[in-house]
Amino acid sequence: MTTISPTRVSMYDFLYQDTKPMVSLLADAATLSLPQARLAMDASLQAIISALLAYQQQRQGQVLSKKLFGRSAVKEMRQYNSMNFATLKATLYHRNDAADAIFYDNARVNKASKYIAAQIDATVPQVQILLSSLCVIVLRELAILIEYSQLDHDEINEWFALQPQFLSKARFAVPVLKSAINESVDNIDETRTALSTDQRLKLDSTDNEERHLLSTEQLTDTPPVFDSYWYELTSFKPQQLAPVQDGQLATGNYLKAIGRSSNNIQQGKHNDLLVFAPMTAIGLPHQRWLLQLAKISEIYLQRNRLRITSEPINPPKPPLVSLGLLSGNSNHENTPTTLSEKPIEYEASTPLWKNPVILLIILVIGGLGILATIKYQTQKSNGIVLANGEALAQAAETEERAQQDVAIVMVDEDIANDDTSDANTKSKAK
């Protein structure tokens, strides 16, 4: 089986890892030093997460999606795929509106800024710039994660309900003990000597098991301990869930639910099934949507999309999760599948040039077009011949009439002279 860290569905851990590349950029915007900016970001993330949990506790997932994750500022920020001065300019433009929406009151924003400023020796306006800017980034990142994981409103509510256990002191107790043990070889020997035999064996087994399941980065790079003051500021009432102590039992129930129990192990091997690794004080249900959220969160973090660089020409594609990891499908051909896991098989569409009906229609239309063209050309040529014949006939008739109307009259000179003399004689007689 393939194990994945439970912290991949922790908002606190996800945002802590995701916003790391932005330390220098936010430090420049708030005119803080790098150590001050790092400490301010840690405290600001805690305040923002606590405010989001309080917002969801009062209004539930549907209002959360529409009023916060569906804001126009979040949609505009999602057009950017990296962090640079252009992205920072848009972030600073929307920061006050986003902060007021998350904390629901500008007085809470000022109070949180004062609390953080006192810890890092900075001014309140400096911290407020960093805190409000992080509000925009947090809304953007969580909105992308929810959309890529295709979570509905009920699943969003369940996801938010799981967050308090990642913020409890019991969750940070074991990593603190391990860091103290790993300081030096002398300290390790002294600590193990001070422990009883049973406690030492239990610590060794837990340490070996979790180091085998979790990567070194996940063990050493843990966010700071969550400050419970933020619960008081945001009026959030945590409802701690009882963690599942028996990880094998939870895995077995999940395998049985999806038809992958040990009863059919002879039909196929299930070595690539994705499950949550056991973790101290953390209990997660092995549900398909939660595993998909964890895997997409891991892929998103590996892309390191908030690094400071120019905007890419082509935006990255949404991460895809193999159904084999979620449902237990392996590479073996004899792996059984349930009805819900069988892919839908669609009939391949017939190409247009192979469809007989379309070919027949094309032939009929082409034949009629050819016949119409031939008929038109024939009628056109006949009309020209008739027109030429009529023109020639009319020309001949006109010429014949012209010849008949013209008459040549010749008068004899003697007759003409006689007529003239007779006319003169008549005039004298009068």
Side-chain angles (χ1 to χ4, degrees):
M1 296 180 184
T2 303
T3 57
I4 189 169
S5 172
T7 57
R8 288 303 184 229
V9 295
S10 169
M11 295 181 187
Y12 184 35
D13 292 76
F14 171 77
L15 293 172
Y16 176 78
Q17 299 289 343
D18 189 39
T19 56
K20 272 185 177 182
M22 295 181 55
V23 176
S24 59
L25 201 61
L26 290 179
D28 182 68
T31 62
L32 295 170
S33 64
L34 290 179
Q36 285 179 317
R38 178 69 267 180
L39 294 175
M41 285 181 63
D42 295 341
S44 298
L45 287 177
Q46 295 180 10
I48 294 171
I49 291 172
S50 181
L52 287 175
L53 293 178
Y55 193 102
Q56 184 273 338
Q57 192 175 59
Q58 298 173 4
R59 300 168 181 83
Q60 298 302 307
Q62 185 174 2
V63 180
L64 183 75
S65 299
K66 293 182 179 179
K67 298 295 184 179
L68 292 184
F69 299 141
R71 300 181 73 85
S72 58
V74 177
K75 295 179 180 178
E76 180 181 345
M77 291 300 301
R78 292 187 59 177
Q79 299 176 0
Y80 301 95
N81 296 283
S82 62
M83 289 302 300
N84 46 50
F85 288 112
T87 314
L88 182 62
K89 182 179 179 180
T91 302
L92 295 176
Y93 179 79
H94 296 290
R95 64 183 182 87
N96 291 325
D97 178 64
D100 293 341
I102 291 177
F103 287 91
Y104 197 68
D105 188 4
N106 185 259
R108 289 182 176 178
V109 179
N110 294 331
K111 193 173 181 179
S113 301
K114 291 180 181 179
Y115 183 79
I116 299 174
Q119 293 179 342
I120 65 172
D121 191 19
T123 62
V124 175
Q126 288 176 314
V127 176
Q128 191 169 0
I129 292 175
L130 188 143
L131 173 63
S132 55
S133 300
L134 268 181
C135 289
V136 183
I137 301 300
V138 166
L139 289 181
R140 171 188 181 270
E141 296 301 286
L142 293 182
I144 293 175
L145 195 61
I146 288 174
E147 180 181 345
Y148 285 173
S149 304
Q150 300 177 357
L151 303 184
D152 56 25
H153 298 148
D154 294 335
E155 292 167 348
I156 292 176
N157 290 329
E158 294 182 31
W159 183 35
F160 272 73
L162 295 172
Q163 299 308 309
Q165 59 184 326
F166 293 102
L167 309 178
S168 64
K169 294 182 179 179
R171 179 255 165 127
F172 295 97
V174 174
V176 170
L177 179 60
K178 288 183 181 179
S179 62
I181 294 174
N182 293 329
E183 287 181 359
S184 63
V185 178
D186 296 334
N187 291 337
I188 291 176
D189 294 336
E190 293 176 0
T191 305
R192 291 183 181 276
T193 304
L195 294 174
S196 63
T197 305
D198 296 338
Q199 292 176 337
R200 186 165 61 250
L201 292 176
K202 184 177 180 180
L203 179 62
D204 291 337
S205 61
T206 304
D207 183 73
N208 293 333
E209 183 181 10
E210 292 197 0
R211 285 190 182 277
H212 175 68
L213 294 172
L214 305 180
S215 64
T216 305
E217 180 182 359
Q218 293 167 348
L219 284 173
T220 57
D221 194 8
T222 306
V225 179
F226 191 84
D227 190 353
S228 58
Y229 166 77
W230 302 115
Y231 289 161
E232 179 183 350
L233 177 66
T234 59
S235 302
F236 174 67
K237 299 178 181 179
Q239 299 175 356
Q240 187 67 36
L241 299 177
V244 180
Q245 300 295 336
D246 191 353
Q248 296 295 330
L249 178 60
T251 304
N253 292 334
Y254 173 67
L255 294 178
K256 184 178 179 181
I258 65 173
R260 295 293 193 277
S261 63
S262 58
N263 296 331
N264 55 18
I265 193 67
Q266 67 277 4
Q267 300 179 10
K269 303 298 182 181
H270 315 294
N271 296 325
D272 58 350
L273 179 65
L274 183 65
V275 296
F276 286 113
M279 190 172 180
T280 305
I282 301 297
L284 297 177
H286 288 70
Q287 297 183 11
R288 186 186 298 265
W289 68 268
L290 195 60
L291 288 168
Q292 181 171 345
L293 173 65
K295 191 59 182 177
I296 289 178
S297 173
E298 184 176 19
I299 297 173
Y300 194 86
L301 289 176
Q302 290 175 357
R303 290 183 175 181
N304 197 20
R305 287 182 56 174
L306 291 187
R307 63 184 181 274
I308 302 176
T309 182
S310 59
E311 188 70 16
I313 299 176
N314 297 321
K317 296 181 180 180
L320 299 177
V321 180
S322 173
L323 294 178
L325 290 175
L326 299 178
S327 61
N329 291 335
S330 62
N331 297 327
H332 299 279
E333 297 180 356
N334 58 352
T335 302
T337 56
T338 59
L339 293 177
S340 61
E341 296 165 1
K342 289 184 178 180
I344 302 175
E345 297 181 358
Y346 299 95
E347 295 182 357
S349 58
T350 306
L352 296 179
W353 57 274
K354 286 186 178 182
N355 195 323
V357 178
I358 296 180
L359 291 177
L360 182 61
I361 293 175
I362 293 175
L363 290 176
V364 171
I365 295 176
L368 293 177
I370 294 173
L371 292 176
T373 304
I374 294 174
K375 184 177 180 181
Y376 173 75
Q377 294 294 338
T378 304
Q379 291 178 352
K380 184 177 180 181
S381 60
N382 293 338
I384 294 174
V385 173
L386 292 175
N388 293 335
E390 291 179 358
L392 292 175
Q394 291 178 359
E397 184 178 357
T398 303
E399 184 179 358
E400 183 179 356
R401 288 178 180 177
Q403 291 178 355
Q404 292 176 356
D405 293 341
V406 177
I408 300 174
V409 180
M410 297 182 65
V411 181
D412 192 1
E413 295 180 358
D414 296 336
I415 296 174
N417 293 331
D418 292 341
D419 292 339
T420 306
S421 62
D422 290 341
N424 295 332
T425 302
K426 290 179 180 181
S427 62
K428 290 178 179 182
K430 291 179 179 180

